[in-house]
Amino acid sequence: MIAQDITEPRIVVLASGNGTNLQTLIDATISQAFPGKIVAVGCNRPRAFALERAAQAGIETFTVDHTEHDSRESFDAALGAEIDRHAPDLLVLAGFMRILTTEFVRRYHGLMINIHPSLLPKYTGLKTHQRALDAGDKVHGVSVHFVTEDLDGGPVIAQAEVAIAPSDSAEILAERVRTKEHLLYPIVVRWFCEGRLKMEADVVHFDGMPLPKPLYLAEESQAPAD
Ligand code: GAR
């Protein structure tokens, strides 16, 4: 019998929809060699496919339906209570489409990361692919960042770029970006679980040093380069 590592970081993932990013995290963390474990998946939509993905992987799930709460404060308090039952070391937002209260963000300061489909600080919020097309951008991409009180505005940990072709639609571009999301997010979660990644005074530290700029996922490679 393999002895269980009791210091293995405990990960809670929050999602709202399909959960393709959740799936890549499940696939990565299922390996014995991964230095962390998804202990629960939470959703704000009872019918989100992400819940099914988690159940299929034997991961505990919880739902806090935002439509049953009449304020963000009440929703976030209920969500926080569910999350805390699992005593997470890391909270991973994977397509979790709710604006969080300041109190909630402070509660998980330095422990909560998010993936956003743009090269932040460009295009916070929604419809990022269409906005990149409308602006005539040649390059688009994805960012993983620590969550702070600024919506999609916390310090960026890592990014990956994709080229925009003149014929791209928002859907095609979204698909290209999602491929990069699926490569990048498990890498960043691994760094956090290995203790290589921290946020101190709202600055990302990597291997004990402040990060002067986000790490980049190199083109045609799974190895991040800076
Ligand atoms: C992903 O593209 C993620 O970057 C985005 O939601 C999608 C979820 O897809 N997140 C945000 O826009 C957060 N601001 P998934 O459910 O298939 O993982």
Side-chain angles (χ1 to χ4, degrees):
M1 189 175 132
I2 300 167
Q4 209 189 353
D5 178 7
I6 55 164
T7 64
E8 188 175 56
R10 298 169 61 80
I11 304 165
V12 169
V13 181
L14 299 182
S16 295
N18 187 357
T20 63
N21 278 286
L22 166 68
Q23 189 66 56
T24 63
L25 295 172
I26 290 173
D27 295 345
T29 54
I30 219 123
S31 147
Q32 285 283 345
F34 197 92
K37 182 178 163 62
I38 301 177
V39 293
V41 170
C43 277
N44 61 307
R45 296 184 187 279
R47 276 186 284 281
F49 189 59
L51 287 169
E52 234 170 89
R53 293 181 189 273
Q56 276 168 19
I59 297 169
E60 199 177 319
T61 64
F62 60 86
T63 303
V64 181
D65 186 343
H66 64 278
T67 65
E68 291 174 1
H69 291 266
D70 53 16
S71 70
R72 288 197 191 281
E73 287 71 20
S74 154
F75 170 75
D76 281 5
L79 183 65
E82 284 291 337
I83 291 167
D84 288 352
R85 283 200 305 117
H86 300 281
D89 301 294
L90 172 64
L91 194 51
V92 176
L93 307 186
F96 187 64
M97 306 306 276
R98 298 293 304 166
I99 293 174
L100 299 163
T101 56
T102 299
E103 194 184 342
F104 184 93
V105 171
R106 286 196 183 144
R107 186 165 171 168
Y108 302 105
H109 188 79
L111 305 179
M112 179 160 49
I113 60 175
N114 182 42
I115 191 158
H116 183 76
S118 77
L119 295 173
L120 292 170
K122 275 191 162 181
Y123 313 128
T124 60
L126 300 174
K127 298 194 189 314
T128 58
H129 311 300
Q130 190 58 54
R131 286 158 67 200
L133 289 174
D134 292 348
D137 290 356
K138 301 274 181 288
V139 177
H140 185 44
V142 54
S143 305
V144 177
H145 64 97
F146 278 106
V147 177
T148 62
E149 288 150 45
D150 302 327
L151 178 69
D152 299 326
V156 178
I157 301 162
Q159 294 182 316
E161 293 181 347
V162 301
I164 298 181
S167 59
D168 278 347
S169 64
E171 291 70 29
I172 287 173
L173 190 53
E175 208 41 60
R176 199 174 305 130
V177 169
R178 199 162 293 128
T179 305
K180 295 288 185 182
E181 295 188 16
H182 295 168
L183 289 173
L184 189 62
Y185 220 5
I187 292 170
V188 175
V189 170
R190 170 184 282 275
W191 286 337
F192 189 96
C193 291
E194 288 172 340
R196 301 181 70 184
L197 196 56
K198 289 194 169 50
M199 180 169 68
E200 285 169 23
D202 283 1
V203 174
V204 179
H205 284 62
F206 189 72
D207 286 342
M209 301 288 287
L211 207 57
K213 57 185 171 60
L215 295 158
Y216 268 84
L217 188 72
E219 198 59 38
E220 305 305 335
S221 143
Q222 298 202 8
D226 59 2

